[in-house]
Amino acid sequence: MNRLHVALAIVAAFAAAAAGVIDRGSVDRSHPGARAAAIEFISAPDLAQRIMSGDRDLRVFDLRTPDAFAQFHVPGAHRATAASLAGEPLAPQTQVVVYADARQTIVEALQALEKRNHRDVLVLREGLYEWLSRVQEPRLASSPTPEERAEFERAAEMSRFFGGVPRAGVPRDEVPQGYWTGLPRSEALLMDAAVKSVAAIRRRGC
Amino acid sequence: MTPLTETGSLGSSGALVAAILIGFAFGWFLERGGLGSAPKLAGQFYVTDLTVFKVMFSALVTAMLGAFWLDRLGVLRLDLVYLPETFVVPQALGGVLFGADFLVAGLCPGTSCVAAAAGRRDGLGVMIGMLIGVWLFNLTFDRIASMYSATPLGAVRLTDLAGVTPGVGVAVVTALALAGFAVANRIERRRA
């Protein structure tokens, strides 16, 4: 082992020991890095339940383009941009939920809210795609498992509340997939499916 | 603020250019490190040449310490770095297949590209086999789809499972790596 290797090993050992020491207790939420790690998601069914229960402390913001918002949005959501969120009147007890088409947009919105010290923010995990798949337009495959049927029945109730049309007995490959079915996330697939779903709703005249 | 691709600082074309440059640098250093040579890589399994172990653990420790400290210094937002989901059974099976390939071919996907780029026919052979494997996987995906998504754990970290803070995890893994380097050097000296 030459001297350079020894020197690098010593540097690594010091950096690791310091990491262990500064992080030995519980995570410090006031730290910028820790604060960033504390970003939380909300699932579409959980958001739907809160909207259905008339939660007054909830504000949902759609960060997509005005055209996309006009086509379809989560019921009760307000159209916003990262810049407009900076000046949006928000009560301290308000919990904000945001969704967008692009991750970058979400990041900018979170930064804008963080700047004004509003940290009670949730991100709709897979955006409108998840909302359409699990709340607005749930689908049940033919020959479903008991778990799939139970999940569909819960979703169908929410779908009818929001004016959607739950569909049962569809081919399995037409059932939307996502983290909730254990499949890895695919941004391209999710966005493609979301666009198709919105187009389908438009064709039906909703 | 980083990661530049996620904060949009690079833009989509900038991200593509960065990917090409980083990929080129990765391949260059793998080749310069001798990891385009199948006998050298296979030496790992016969405990005669532990270069792979040392290179991989060096990369792991460097990235881990860098990510931890850059996050703590407010330069990197670790929550924006994509964390792949864990699927226990399919990934364990994939690991076994990967290891078997490594032992038989002496190359993994990355090093096979490096070997092929350096003009080695065994690297080209492994690359062709890899592409055939991708094609067969797509052909048979419907039959293996249930196994593919079985036993999901979500995006978990070892520190989440162990119930310790990230810093403690970093310290433990670095200590293991440094001890591993010392043992590897001793073994190689004895075998030399």
mmCIF file of all heavy atoms in Angstrom, chain B residues 74-122:
data_model
loop_
_atom_site.group_PDB
_atom_site.id
_atom_site.type_symbol
_atom_site.label_atom_id
_atom_site.label_comp_id
_atom_site.label_asym_id
_atom_site.label_seq_id
_atom_site.Cartn_x
_atom_site.Cartn_y
_atom_site.Cartn_z
ATOM 1 N N GLY B 74 -25.457 21.408 2.456
ATOM 2 C CA GLY B 74 -26.497 22.131 1.716
ATOM 3 C C GLY B 74 -26.222 22.277 0.233
ATOM 4 O O GLY B 74 -26.854 23.087 -0.447
ATOM 5 N N VAL B 75 -25.257 21.499 -0.282
ATOM 6 C CA VAL B 75 -24.925 21.591 -1.706
ATOM 7 C C VAL B 75 -25.761 20.601 -2.528
ATOM 8 O O VAL B 75 -26.120 20.868 -3.672
ATOM 9 C CB VAL B 75 -23.413 21.294 -1.919
ATOM 10 C CG1 VAL B 75 -23.049 21.339 -3.394
ATOM 11 C CG2 VAL B 75 -22.577 22.291 -1.131
ATOM 12 N N LEU B 76 -26.071 19.459 -1.941
ATOM 13 C CA LEU B 76 -26.804 18.402 -2.645
ATOM 14 C C LEU B 76 -28.092 18.091 -1.886
ATOM 15 O O LEU B 76 -28.089 17.991 -0.654
ATOM 16 C CB LEU B 76 -25.939 17.130 -2.704
ATOM 17 C CG LEU B 76 -26.600 15.844 -3.191
ATOM 18 C CD1 LEU B 76 -26.875 15.926 -4.688
ATOM 19 C CD2 LEU B 76 -25.725 14.637 -2.888
ATOM 20 N N ARG B 77 -29.188 17.961 -2.653
ATOM 21 C CA ARG B 77 -30.447 17.531 -2.014
ATOM 22 C C ARG B 77 -30.599 16.035 -2.240
ATOM 23 O O ARG B 77 -31.000 15.597 -3.321
ATOM 24 C CB ARG B 77 -31.631 18.300 -2.593
ATOM 25 C CG ARG B 77 -31.608 19.765 -2.213
ATOM 26 C CD ARG B 77 -32.853 20.460 -2.651
ATOM 27 N NE ARG B 77 -34.020 19.886 -1.975
ATOM 28 C CZ ARG B 77 -35.194 20.521 -1.876
ATOM 29 N NH1 ARG B 77 -35.336 21.715 -2.394
ATOM 30 N NH2 ARG B 77 -36.203 19.944 -1.271
ATOM 31 N N LEU B 78 -30.254 15.274 -1.211
ATOM 32 C CA LEU B 78 -30.267 13.814 -1.352
ATOM 33 C C LEU B 78 -31.665 13.278 -1.638
ATOM 34 O O LEU B 78 -31.811 12.227 -2.248
ATOM 35 C CB LEU B 78 -29.746 13.167 -0.063
ATOM 36 C CG LEU B 78 -28.283 12.712 -0.068
ATOM 37 C CD1 LEU B 78 -27.950 11.982 1.201
ATOM 38 C CD2 LEU B 78 -27.965 11.850 -1.275
ATOM 39 N N ASP B 79 -32.692 14.013 -1.183
ATOM 40 C CA ASP B 79 -34.044 13.508 -1.412
ATOM 41 C C ASP B 79 -34.417 13.550 -2.889
ATOM 42 O O ASP B 79 -35.385 12.929 -3.309
ATOM 43 C CB ASP B 79 -35.063 14.309 -0.599
ATOM 44 C CG ASP B 79 -35.070 15.765 -0.986
ATOM 45 O OD1 ASP B 79 -34.004 16.389 -0.922
ATOM 46 O OD2 ASP B 79 -36.133 16.286 -1.375
ATOM 47 N N LEU B 80 -33.637 14.306 -3.693
ATOM 48 C CA LEU B 80 -33.914 14.371 -5.122
ATOM 49 C C LEU B 80 -33.122 13.328 -5.914
ATOM 50 O O LEU B 80 -33.282 13.209 -7.123
ATOM 51 C CB LEU B 80 -33.575 15.763 -5.672
ATOM 52 C CG LEU B 80 -34.430 16.904 -5.116
ATOM 53 C CD1 LEU B 80 -34.032 18.217 -5.769
ATOM 54 C CD2 LEU B 80 -35.901 16.634 -5.336
ATOM 55 N N VAL B 81 -32.239 12.615 -5.209
ATOM 56 C CA VAL B 81 -31.482 11.561 -5.884
ATOM 57 C C VAL B 81 -32.354 10.309 -5.893
ATOM 58 O O VAL B 81 -32.829 9.875 -4.840
ATOM 59 C CB VAL B 81 -30.153 11.286 -5.150
ATOM 60 C CG1 VAL B 81 -29.416 10.120 -5.801
ATOM 61 C CG2 VAL B 81 -29.278 12.530 -5.168
ATOM 62 N N TYR B 82 -32.584 9.778 -7.085
ATOM 63 C CA TYR B 82 -33.513 8.653 -7.215
ATOM 64 C C TYR B 82 -33.002 7.432 -6.465
ATOM 65 O O TYR B 82 -31.844 7.030 -6.620
ATOM 66 C CB TYR B 82 -33.720 8.307 -8.695
ATOM 67 C CG TYR B 82 -34.613 7.116 -8.899
ATOM 68 C CD1 TYR B 82 -35.918 7.130 -8.420
ATOM 69 C CD2 TYR B 82 -34.153 5.976 -9.538
ATOM 70 C CE1 TYR B 82 -36.751 6.039 -8.585
ATOM 71 C CE2 TYR B 82 -34.967 4.884 -9.713
ATOM 72 C CZ TYR B 82 -36.265 4.920 -9.236
ATOM 73 O OH TYR B 82 -37.082 3.838 -9.404
ATOM 74 N N LEU B 83 -33.853 6.872 -5.644
ATOM 75 C CA LEU B 83 -33.506 5.686 -4.877
ATOM 76 C C LEU B 83 -34.309 4.513 -5.442
ATOM 77 O O LEU B 83 -35.535 4.495 -5.330
ATOM 78 C CB LEU B 83 -33.870 5.924 -3.402
ATOM 79 C CG LEU B 83 -33.455 4.876 -2.389
ATOM 80 C CD1 LEU B 83 -31.933 4.766 -2.336
ATOM 81 C CD2 LEU B 83 -33.984 5.247 -1.010
ATOM 82 N N PRO B 84 -33.636 3.549 -6.063
ATOM 83 C CA PRO B 84 -34.382 2.438 -6.674
ATOM 84 C C PRO B 84 -35.119 1.619 -5.609
ATOM 85 O O PRO B 84 -34.632 1.461 -4.496
ATOM 86 C CB PRO B 84 -33.289 1.596 -7.339
ATOM 87 C CG PRO B 84 -32.080 2.434 -7.344
ATOM 88 C CD PRO B 84 -32.196 3.403 -6.226
ATOM 89 N N GLU B 85 -36.288 1.100 -5.998
ATOM 90 C CA GLU B 85 -37.060 0.285 -5.074
ATOM 91 C C GLU B 85 -36.418 -1.093 -4.902
ATOM 92 O O GLU B 85 -35.709 -1.560 -5.794
ATOM 93 C CB GLU B 85 -38.499 0.097 -5.586
ATOM 94 C CG GLU B 85 -39.329 1.359 -5.530
ATOM 95 C CD GLU B 85 -39.231 2.182 -6.797
ATOM 96 O OE1 GLU B 85 -38.308 1.935 -7.597
ATOM 97 O OE2 GLU B 85 -40.070 3.073 -6.992
ATOM 98 N N THR B 86 -36.680 -1.706 -3.748
ATOM 99 C CA THR B 86 -36.147 -3.041 -3.470
ATOM 100 C C THR B 86 -37.231 -4.094 -3.695
ATOM 101 O O THR B 86 -38.343 -3.952 -3.200
ATOM 102 C CB THR B 86 -35.648 -3.109 -2.020
ATOM 103 O OG1 THR B 86 -34.583 -2.187 -1.853
ATOM 104 C CG2 THR B 86 -35.158 -4.514 -1.671
ATOM 105 N N PHE B 87 -36.879 -5.141 -4.438
ATOM 106 C CA PHE B 87 -37.745 -6.304 -4.626
ATOM 107 C C PHE B 87 -36.882 -7.504 -4.254
ATOM 108 O O PHE B 87 -35.998 -7.902 -5.012
ATOM 109 C CB PHE B 87 -38.215 -6.405 -6.078
ATOM 110 C CG PHE B 87 -39.074 -5.246 -6.513
ATOM 111 C CD1 PHE B 87 -38.485 -4.082 -6.995
ATOM 112 C CD2 PHE B 87 -40.453 -5.305 -6.437
ATOM 113 C CE1 PHE B 87 -39.262 -3.012 -7.387
ATOM 114 C CE2 PHE B 87 -41.242 -4.235 -6.832
ATOM 115 C CZ PHE B 87 -40.649 -3.083 -7.301
ATOM 116 N N VAL B 88 -37.125 -8.078 -3.080
ATOM 117 C CA VAL B 88 -36.164 -9.014 -2.489
ATOM 118 C C VAL B 88 -35.911 -10.241 -3.373
ATOM 119 O O VAL B 88 -34.759 -10.493 -3.764
ATOM 120 C CB VAL B 88 -36.643 -9.461 -1.092
ATOM 121 C CG1 VAL B 88 -35.642 -10.435 -0.487
ATOM 122 C CG2 VAL B 88 -36.826 -8.256 -0.189
ATOM 123 N N VAL B 89 -36.958 -10.989 -3.693
ATOM 124 C CA VAL B 89 -36.755 -12.257 -4.413
ATOM 125 C C VAL B 89 -36.214 -12.033 -5.833
ATOM 126 O O VAL B 89 -35.196 -12.627 -6.204
ATOM 127 C CB VAL B 89 -38.060 -13.087 -4.432
ATOM 128 C CG1 VAL B 89 -37.938 -14.281 -5.368
ATOM 129 C CG2 VAL B 89 -38.386 -13.556 -3.018
ATOM 130 N N PRO B 90 -36.858 -11.183 -6.644
ATOM 131 C CA PRO B 90 -36.315 -11.018 -8.007
ATOM 132 C C PRO B 90 -34.894 -10.465 -8.011
ATOM 133 O O PRO B 90 -34.071 -10.866 -8.850
ATOM 134 C CB PRO B 90 -37.289 -10.045 -8.676
ATOM 135 C CG PRO B 90 -38.147 -9.500 -7.615
ATOM 136 C CD PRO B 90 -38.120 -10.451 -6.473
ATOM 137 N N GLN B 91 -34.575 -9.581 -7.073
ATOM 138 C CA GLN B 91 -33.219 -9.021 -7.066
ATOM 139 C C GLN B 91 -32.197 -10.043 -6.561
ATOM 140 O O GLN B 91 -31.057 -10.058 -7.005
ATOM 141 C CB GLN B 91 -33.180 -7.731 -6.244
ATOM 142 C CG GLN B 91 -33.829 -6.580 -7.012
ATOM 143 C CD GLN B 91 -34.045 -5.330 -6.209
ATOM 144 O OE1 GLN B 91 -33.887 -5.319 -4.995
ATOM 145 N NE2 GLN B 91 -34.461 -4.265 -6.862
ATOM 146 N N ALA B 92 -32.628 -10.928 -5.640
ATOM 147 C CA ALA B 92 -31.724 -11.991 -5.191
ATOM 148 C C ALA B 92 -31.448 -12.957 -6.350
ATOM 149 O O ALA B 92 -30.301 -13.353 -6.584
ATOM 150 C CB ALA B 92 -32.335 -12.731 -4.007
ATOM 151 N N LEU B 93 -32.509 -13.308 -7.092
ATOM 152 C CA LEU B 93 -32.321 -14.184 -8.258
ATOM 153 C C LEU B 93 -31.431 -13.510 -9.298
ATOM 154 O O LEU B 93 -30.549 -14.138 -9.881
ATOM 155 C CB LEU B 93 -33.680 -14.516 -8.885
ATOM 156 C CG LEU B 93 -34.526 -15.551 -8.150
ATOM 157 C CD1 LEU B 93 -35.914 -15.645 -8.782
ATOM 158 C CD2 LEU B 93 -33.845 -16.911 -8.179
ATOM 159 N N GLY B 94 -31.668 -12.229 -9.514
ATOM 160 C CA GLY B 94 -30.836 -11.468 -10.454
ATOM 161 C C GLY B 94 -29.389 -11.457 -10.006
ATOM 162 O O GLY B 94 -28.476 -11.575 -10.818
ATOM 163 N N GLY B 95 -29.183 -11.342 -8.709
ATOM 164 C CA GLY B 95 -27.819 -11.339 -8.161
ATOM 165 C C GLY B 95 -27.111 -12.657 -8.420
ATOM 166 O O GLY B 95 -25.928 -12.683 -8.789
ATOM 167 N N VAL B 96 -27.851 -13.757 -8.243
ATOM 168 C CA VAL B 96 -27.267 -15.083 -8.486
ATOM 169 C C VAL B 96 -26.891 -15.226 -9.961
ATOM 170 O O VAL B 96 -25.790 -15.676 -10.309
ATOM 171 C CB VAL B 96 -28.261 -16.188 -8.064
ATOM 172 C CG1 VAL B 96 -27.775 -17.556 -8.541
ATOM 173 C CG2 VAL B 96 -28.457 -16.182 -6.557
ATOM 174 N N LEU B 97 -27.813 -14.805 -10.836
ATOM 175 C CA LEU B 97 -27.540 -14.876 -12.282
ATOM 176 C C LEU B 97 -26.345 -14.009 -12.654
ATOM 177 O O LEU B 97 -25.474 -14.412 -13.421
ATOM 178 C CB LEU B 97 -28.758 -14.386 -13.069
ATOM 179 C CG LEU B 97 -29.828 -15.411 -13.415
ATOM 180 C CD1 LEU B 97 -30.995 -14.714 -14.107
ATOM 181 C CD2 LEU B 97 -29.244 -16.476 -14.335
ATOM 182 N N PHE B 98 -26.322 -12.804 -12.077
ATOM 183 C CA PHE B 98 -25.234 -11.859 -12.355
ATOM 184 C C PHE B 98 -23.894 -12.457 -11.920
ATOM 185 O O PHE B 98 -22.901 -12.408 -12.637
ATOM 186 C CB PHE B 98 -25.523 -10.561 -11.602
ATOM 187 C CG PHE B 98 -24.606 -9.426 -11.945
ATOM 188 C CD1 PHE B 98 -24.958 -8.514 -12.927
ATOM 189 C CD2 PHE B 98 -23.406 -9.259 -11.279
ATOM 190 C CE1 PHE B 98 -24.111 -7.459 -13.238
ATOM 191 C CE2 PHE B 98 -22.562 -8.210 -11.582
ATOM 192 C CZ PHE B 98 -22.917 -7.306 -12.562
ATOM 193 N N GLY B 99 -23.892 -13.040 -10.708
ATOM 194 C CA GLY B 99 -22.657 -13.637 -10.185
ATOM 195 C C GLY B 99 -22.192 -14.796 -11.041
ATOM 196 O O GLY B 99 -20.990 -14.948 -11.316
ATOM 197 N N ALA B 100 -23.167 -15.615 -11.486
ATOM 198 C CA ALA B 100 -22.805 -16.768 -12.330
ATOM 199 C C ALA B 100 -22.197 -16.281 -13.643
ATOM 200 O O ALA B 100 -21.189 -16.825 -14.115
ATOM 201 C CB ALA B 100 -24.047 -17.615 -12.591
ATOM 202 N N ASP B 101 -22.802 -15.238 -14.205
ATOM 203 C CA ASP B 101 -22.275 -14.675 -15.454
ATOM 204 C C ASP B 101 -20.854 -14.150 -15.244
ATOM 205 O O ASP B 101 -19.961 -14.378 -16.053
ATOM 206 C CB ASP B 101 -23.170 -13.520 -15.927
ATOM 207 C CG ASP B 101 -22.382 -12.498 -16.725
ATOM 208 O OD1 ASP B 101 -21.996 -12.825 -17.860
ATOM 209 O OD2 ASP B 101 -22.118 -11.390 -16.206
ATOM 210 N N PHE B 102 -20.681 -13.490 -14.113
ATOM 211 C CA PHE B 102 -19.378 -12.894 -13.802
ATOM 212 C C PHE B 102 -18.298 -13.979 -13.747
ATOM 213 O O PHE B 102 -17.186 -13.828 -14.237
ATOM 214 C CB PHE B 102 -19.482 -12.172 -12.437
ATOM 215 C CG PHE B 102 -18.712 -10.893 -12.366
ATOM 216 C CD1 PHE B 102 -19.181 -9.834 -11.613
ATOM 217 C CD2 PHE B 102 -17.512 -10.743 -13.026
ATOM 218 C CE1 PHE B 102 -18.476 -8.651 -11.528
ATOM 219 C CE2 PHE B 102 -16.797 -9.560 -12.949
ATOM 220 C CZ PHE B 102 -17.283 -8.516 -12.200
ATOM 221 N N LEU B 103 -18.684 -15.105 -13.127
ATOM 222 C CA LEU B 103 -17.720 -16.199 -12.966
ATOM 223 C C LEU B 103 -17.415 -16.867 -14.307
ATOM 224 O O LEU B 103 -16.266 -17.168 -14.612
ATOM 225 C CB LEU B 103 -18.310 -17.227 -11.979
ATOM 226 C CG LEU B 103 -17.391 -18.370 -11.574
ATOM 227 C CD1 LEU B 103 -16.085 -17.846 -10.992
ATOM 228 C CD2 LEU B 103 -18.078 -19.260 -10.556
ATOM 229 N N VAL B 104 -18.450 -17.070 -15.125
ATOM 230 C CA VAL B 104 -18.272 -17.775 -16.397
ATOM 231 C C VAL B 104 -17.589 -16.868 -17.430
ATOM 232 O O VAL B 104 -16.619 -17.265 -18.080
ATOM 233 C CB VAL B 104 -19.644 -18.258 -16.938
ATOM 234 C CG1 VAL B 104 -19.494 -18.827 -18.343
ATOM 235 C CG2 VAL B 104 -20.238 -19.295 -15.998
ATOM 236 N N ALA B 105 -18.103 -15.630 -17.565
ATOM 237 C CA ALA B 105 -17.600 -14.741 -18.620
ATOM 238 C C ALA B 105 -16.426 -13.885 -18.145
ATOM 239 O O ALA B 105 -15.622 -13.428 -18.944
ATOM 240 C CB ALA B 105 -18.727 -13.836 -19.101
ATOM 241 N N GLY B 106 -16.355 -13.663 -16.855
ATOM 242 C CA GLY B 106 -15.292 -12.804 -16.328
ATOM 243 C C GLY B 106 -15.569 -11.334 -16.557
ATOM 244 O O GLY B 106 -14.698 -10.491 -16.342
ATOM 245 N N LEU B 107 -16.780 -11.015 -16.990
ATOM 246 C CA LEU B 107 -17.118 -9.613 -17.262
ATOM 247 C C LEU B 107 -18.545 -9.328 -16.795
ATOM 248 O O LEU B 107 -19.401 -10.226 -16.819
ATOM 249 C CB LEU B 107 -17.030 -9.323 -18.764
ATOM 250 C CG LEU B 107 -15.628 -9.409 -19.388
ATOM 251 C CD1 LEU B 107 -15.744 -9.466 -20.913
ATOM 252 C CD2 LEU B 107 -14.769 -8.229 -18.973
ATOM 253 N N CYS B 108 -18.793 -8.122 -16.388
ATOM 254 C CA CYS B 108 -20.156 -7.705 -16.073
ATOM 255 C C CYS B 108 -20.611 -6.776 -17.210
ATOM 256 O O CYS B 108 -19.834 -6.483 -18.119
ATOM 257 C CB CYS B 108 -20.204 -7.004 -14.709
ATOM 258 S SG CYS B 108 -19.406 -5.402 -14.686
ATOM 259 N N PRO B 109 -21.860 -6.296 -17.206
ATOM 260 C CA PRO B 109 -22.315 -5.472 -18.333
ATOM 261 C C PRO B 109 -21.403 -4.276 -18.624
ATOM 262 O O PRO B 109 -21.036 -4.033 -19.789
ATOM 263 C CB PRO B 109 -23.705 -5.019 -17.885
ATOM 264 C CG PRO B 109 -24.178 -6.100 -16.988
ATOM 265 C CD PRO B 109 -22.958 -6.589 -16.276
ATOM 266 N N GLY B 110 -21.033 -3.527 -17.581
ATOM 267 C CA GLY B 110 -20.198 -2.338 -17.793
ATOM 268 C C GLY B 110 -18.827 -2.692 -18.330
ATOM 269 O O GLY B 110 -18.348 -2.110 -19.310
ATOM 270 N N THR B 111 -18.183 -3.677 -17.698
ATOM 271 C CA THR B 111 -16.821 -4.020 -18.123
ATOM 272 C C THR B 111 -16.815 -4.724 -19.476
ATOM 273 O O THR B 111 -15.809 -4.682 -20.183
ATOM 274 C CB THR B 111 -16.124 -4.897 -17.063
ATOM 275 O OG1 THR B 111 -16.958 -6.019 -16.782
ATOM 276 C CG2 THR B 111 -15.867 -4.116 -15.792
ATOM 277 N N SER B 112 -17.943 -5.362 -19.849
ATOM 278 C CA SER B 112 -17.983 -5.978 -21.183
ATOM 279 C C SER B 112 -17.960 -4.887 -22.258
ATOM 280 O O SER B 112 -17.327 -5.049 -23.307
ATOM 281 C CB SER B 112 -19.219 -6.866 -21.341
ATOM 282 O OG SER B 112 -20.396 -6.091 -21.401
ATOM 283 N N CYS B 113 -18.640 -3.769 -21.980
ATOM 284 C CA CYS B 113 -18.597 -2.641 -22.932
ATOM 285 C C CYS B 113 -17.185 -2.084 -23.016
ATOM 286 O O CYS B 113 -16.685 -1.762 -24.108
ATOM 287 C CB CYS B 113 -19.561 -1.531 -22.482
ATOM 288 S SG CYS B 113 -21.282 -2.037 -22.469
ATOM 289 N N VAL B 114 -16.536 -1.986 -21.864
ATOM 290 C CA VAL B 114 -15.152 -1.480 -21.833
ATOM 291 C C VAL B 114 -14.245 -2.415 -22.616
ATOM 292 O O VAL B 114 -13.427 -1.977 -23.438
ATOM 293 C CB VAL B 114 -14.676 -1.354 -20.363
ATOM 294 C CG1 VAL B 114 -13.181 -1.104 -20.300
ATOM 295 C CG2 VAL B 114 -15.430 -0.242 -19.657
ATOM 296 N N ALA B 115 -14.406 -3.718 -22.370
ATOM 297 C CA ALA B 115 -13.559 -4.695 -23.060
ATOM 298 C C ALA B 115 -13.806 -4.652 -24.567
ATOM 299 O O ALA B 115 -12.860 -4.697 -25.360
ATOM 300 C CB ALA B 115 -13.841 -6.096 -22.512
ATOM 301 N N ALA B 116 -15.089 -4.553 -24.952
ATOM 302 C CA ALA B 116 -15.411 -4.506 -26.384
ATOM 303 C C ALA B 116 -14.826 -3.250 -27.023
ATOM 304 O O ALA B 116 -14.279 -3.295 -28.128
ATOM 305 C CB ALA B 116 -16.927 -4.549 -26.579
ATOM 306 N N ALA B 117 -14.931 -2.116 -26.318
ATOM 307 C CA ALA B 117 -14.394 -0.855 -26.847
ATOM 308 C C ALA B 117 -12.882 -0.916 -26.990
ATOM 309 O O ALA B 117 -12.297 -0.251 -27.843
ATOM 310 C CB ALA B 117 -14.797 0.303 -25.932
ATOM 311 N N ALA B 118 -12.248 -1.737 -26.125
ATOM 312 C CA ALA B 118 -10.796 -1.874 -26.198
ATOM 313 C C ALA B 118 -10.392 -2.915 -27.244
ATOM 314 O O ALA B 118 -9.206 -3.223 -27.392
ATOM 315 C CB ALA B 118 -10.250 -2.264 -24.823
ATOM 316 N N GLY B 119 -11.385 -3.484 -27.953
ATOM 317 C CA GLY B 119 -11.086 -4.419 -29.040
ATOM 318 C C GLY B 119 -11.039 -5.866 -28.608
ATOM 319 O O GLY B 119 -10.582 -6.727 -29.362
ATOM 320 N N ARG B 120 -11.522 -6.184 -27.419
ATOM 321 C CA ARG B 120 -11.469 -7.580 -26.963
ATOM 322 C C ARG B 120 -12.725 -8.309 -27.444
ATOM 323 O O ARG B 120 -13.841 -7.856 -27.215
ATOM 324 C CB ARG B 120 -11.366 -7.628 -25.440
ATOM 325 C CG ARG B 120 -10.090 -6.993 -24.893
ATOM 326 C CD ARG B 120 -10.121 -7.048 -23.387
ATOM 327 N NE ARG B 120 -10.089 -8.429 -22.941
ATOM 328 C CZ ARG B 120 -9.014 -9.019 -22.426
ATOM 329 N NH1 ARG B 120 -7.890 -8.335 -22.298
ATOM 330 N NH2 ARG B 120 -9.056 -10.260 -22.038
ATOM 331 N N ARG B 121 -12.502 -9.483 -28.058
ATOM 332 C CA ARG B 121 -13.642 -10.207 -28.601
ATOM 333 C C ARG B 121 -14.523 -10.819 -27.510
ATOM 334 O O ARG B 121 -15.714 -11.005 -27.701
ATOM 335 C CB ARG B 121 -13.161 -11.284 -29.569
ATOM 336 C CG ARG B 121 -12.820 -10.690 -30.922
ATOM 337 C CD ARG B 121 -12.427 -11.754 -31.919
ATOM 338 N NE ARG B 121 -11.142 -12.363 -31.540
ATOM 339 C CZ ARG B 121 -10.546 -13.304 -32.240
ATOM 340 N NH1 ARG B 121 -11.092 -13.759 -33.346
ATOM 341 N NH2 ARG B 121 -9.384 -13.805 -31.856
ATOM 342 N N ASP B 122 -13.903 -11.160 -26.359
ATOM 343 C CA ASP B 122 -14.740 -11.728 -25.295
ATOM 344 C C ASP B 122 -15.739 -10.679 -24.792
ATOM 345 O O ASP B 122 -16.886 -10.994 -24.469
ATOM 346 C CB ASP B 122 -13.888 -12.267 -24.134
ATOM 347 C CG ASP B 122 -12.923 -11.239 -23.567
ATOM 348 O OD1 ASP B 122 -12.742 -10.179 -24.193
ATOM 349 O OD2 ASP B 122 -12.364 -11.498 -22.477
#
